[in-house]
Amino acid sequence: MARSDAPNRMGWLIDPDKELIFVYRSDRTIAVFDRPQDKLPAVPDFATALEFTVGKIDRWLEN
């Protein structure tokens, strides 16, 4: 299995049934986003201009 040397700063776990997103950060903290208007932190740095919300992700997954 190939291993990336790039550090992982954040990961998302999306639960489409409950319409919520868990954000796991490298400092081991977990944030839960469950309102459609909740803005998610952007990753990687080049994506900081993009705005992701719980509602937008849910709509993408429905299609």
Side-chain angles (χ1 to χ4, degrees):
M1 175 183 278
R3 181 180 157 270
S4 172
D5 290 325
N8 291 321
R9 292 184 251 169
M10 184 179 319
W12 293 356
L13 176 64
I14 302 170
D15 185 335
D17 294 328
K18 295 184 181 176
E19 298 181 358
L20 56 84
I21 300 174
F22 297 90
V23 175
Y24 295 85
R25 296 189 174 99
S26 61
D27 64 359
R28 299 183 185 246
T29 58
I30 302 170
V32 180
F33 297 84
D34 59 358
R35 295 178 305 188
Q37 70 274 15
D38 284 347
K39 293 180 184 177
L40 301 171
V43 244
D45 291 339
F46 70 82
T48 56
L50 298 175
E51 183 177 287
F52 297 105
T53 64
V54 173
K56 187 181 286 188
I57 301 292
D58 284 338
R59 284 189 300 277
W60 286 340
L61 294 174
E62 287 175 358
N63 294 326

